Amino acid sequence: MSEKYSKLQKQFLCCYPVKKMAWSSVKLPLNWEEQQELIEATCGHPMNLRYPVRRSYLEAFLKQLMQLLKDQEDLHDDIYSSLCARMAESPGTSYAYKHYLLTPDAHITLRESKSFVSEGTTGLCTWEAALALGDYLLHHRDLIRGKNIVELGAGTGLLGILFKLPALKLDVGEVLLTDGSEPCVQLMRENIALNFPDAPKEQIPQAEQLSWNEVSEFPWESRKEVDVLLAADVIYDDTQFTALLGALDFFIKRRGDALETYVASTVRNMDTLNKFMTQLELRGYKVTPCGNISASASHFCRDHTAAVQIVLIRR
Ligand SMILES: C[S@@+](CC[C@H](N)C(=O)[O-])C[C@H]1O[C@@H](n2cnc3c(N)ncnc32)[C@H](O)[C@@H]1O
């Protein structure tokens, strides 16, 4: 496949907002072969054929493409047939797939809910903060090399899957993804199996149910000491602050200064974030802001409209 539509392909497969896609890479008019190439790079991509993106996204993408090609005499049959094929399907389940192409030989496929909130949790789809934290740690690999990692509120499991991709050679230690929501843990396990179909258990992330107010009851003695604690997009509900801070206290008490905690938060409500940061400082934690990875250096196609704040928390 040519590189001509690689940006559009990457964006399409992870459902990047249609209006913001790299349409300028499409040089009009497109002859028949070029149209075919574009379709094969996107809707006709083998990953999408096997694990399709959500139907509403595909429709929006094809409509935008038709609009772009509206002055052309010949529209490739595959554009119509891709649209009609999906329109004819039943709406299907409330889940669909996203594919993150990271390097030529590393990608992640995630099954996600089509809704931001479902089954009583916000964790069945991947949030911007997880992508931003993944980007940050990919650019600062030494922070996780050889480290045993635990993630709190891990949702779909993106970060743990990322760290264990063999092609990225991140050489992390044990990775435990946790979430308080049972449907999230089931989904994480499904996503782990999807991305590591044949790998032995020691080489893949593990997923377990863990509520923040029950961390002390978890069988930690059967696990390696935690070096790095992660959490993405978990600071939005101040009724959960006490439980989250209690969980942090628990890990710090076990590991002391050796523990590094990275928390990434999409900045929606600055007051809520500040309230959490103040509580951290009152408990004697040192909070250091970490830089963000720019859109051009990002491994993920992120819609950088929402700011994400990443901080390192230490005793
Ligand atoms: C907005 S989602 C973020 C998911 C994922 N980290 C991401 O960024 O895509 C928040 C996650 O925190 C989990 N969560 C919220 N309160 C929790 C608690 N008290 N104990 C454990 N997990 C909790 C939710 O189930 C959900 O998966």
Side-chain angles (χ1 to χ4, degrees):
M1 173 116 14
S2 89
E3 290 297 291
K4 209 188 305 178
Y5 302 121
S6 58
K7 187 89 195 266
L8 271 183
Q9 175 180 71
K10 192 171 162 145
Q11 293 176 331
F12 171 85
L13 289 172
C14 70
C15 301
Y16 188 77
V18 166
K19 297 276 182 212
K20 298 180 181 175
M21 289 175 90
W23 293 109
S24 58
S25 61
V26 181
K27 302 291 176 228
L28 299 175
L30 290 190
N31 64 30
W32 194 260
E33 286 72 32
E34 288 167 327
Q35 291 186 45
Q36 180 148 1
E37 204 181 317
L38 199 160
I39 286 292
E40 282 173 3
T42 52
C43 338
H45 190 286
M47 283 185 196
N48 186 52
L49 296 179
R50 182 151 190 215
Y51 298 116
V53 301
R54 57 177 197 277
R55 190 169 93 169
S56 58
Y57 182 80
L58 180 97
E59 284 171 23
F61 171 81
L62 288 169
K63 284 179 183 162
Q64 185 75 25
L65 180 60
M66 285 178 173
Q67 174 66 22
L68 192 73
L69 304 180
K70 68 180 186 323
D71 296 329
Q72 294 204 196
E73 280 177 15
D74 280 339
L75 256 198
H76 200 293
D77 301 339
D78 287 357
I79 298 180
Y80 290 119
S81 56
S82 300
L83 188 58
C84 296
R86 287 314 291 273
M87 297 276 216
E89 283 174 16
S90 67
T93 69
S94 46
Y95 284 83
Y97 294 87
K98 282 187 184 174
H99 310 271
Y100 297 96
L101 305 184
L102 301 164
T103 65
D105 51 2
H107 73 269
I108 296 175
T109 291
L110 291 182
R111 183 170 179 260
E112 298 193 1
S113 168
K114 296 176 192 168
S115 316
F116 290 130
V117 183
S118 61
E119 299 185 53
T121 174
T122 49
L124 297 171
C125 60
T126 305
W127 294 78
E128 188 81 1
L131 301 178
L133 188 53
D135 255 336
Y136 182 79
L137 294 170
L138 277 182
H139 280 83
H140 299 89
R141 296 162 168 241
D142 289 349
L143 301 177
I144 49 172
R145 181 168 295 126
K147 303 287 175 71
N148 299 313
I149 302 170
V150 167
E151 185 181 357
L152 302 176
T156 59
L158 171 111
L159 287 174
I161 293 170
L162 174 74
F163 300 153
K164 286 290 188 184
L165 287 180
L168 296 180
K169 298 188 174 64
L170 293 170
D171 297 326
V172 295
E174 208 172 75
V175 176
L176 175 64
L177 303 175
T178 71
D179 203 286
S181 144
E182 169 74 38
C184 284
V185 178
Q186 276 175 21
L187 184 66
M188 276 194 264
R189 288 181 178 158
E190 217 178 296
N191 282 329
I192 293 167
L194 195 60
N195 287 277
F196 305 97
D198 306 314
K201 199 176 162 211
E202 318 76 67
Q203 291 173 17
I204 61 177
Q206 306 301 312
E208 297 292 345
Q209 190 166 9
L210 179 71
S211 289
W212 302 332
N213 55 10
E214 290 171 359
V215 279
S216 60
E217 287 149 48
F218 192 82
W220 296 109
E221 56 290 348
S222 62
R223 307 217 161 239
K224 296 196 175 142
E225 285 292 0
V226 183
D227 305 305
V228 175
L229 188 64
L230 301 177
D233 221 333
V234 294
I235 305 172
Y236 51 89
D237 175 3
D238 56 11
T239 65
Q240 295 301 308
F241 283 6
T242 307
L244 186 53
L245 289 160
L248 188 55
D249 289 343
F250 172 83
F251 285 103
I252 290 275
K253 206 165 163 194
R254 284 177 68 91
R255 206 68 176 92
D257 293 345
L259 183 76
E260 301 205 319
T261 301
Y262 293 90
V263 175
S265 314
T266 308
V267 182
R268 298 188 190 90
N269 182 335
M270 209 58 217
D271 289 345
T272 310
L273 269 183
N274 286 339
K275 194 167 159 189
F276 186 78
M277 298 303 155
T278 306
Q279 295 214 22
L280 281 174
E281 279 158 15
L282 287 174
R283 285 176 185 236
Y285 289 109
K286 206 165 112 204
V287 180
T288 315
C290 304
N292 235 298
I293 303 304
S294 69
S296 58
S298 171
H299 281 80
F300 293 96
C301 287
R302 291 208 285 120
D303 176 11
H304 282 249
T305 42
V308 175
Q309 181 197 74
I310 302 175
V311 294
L312 165 64
I313 302 166
R314 303 189 74 170
R315 177 55 95 197

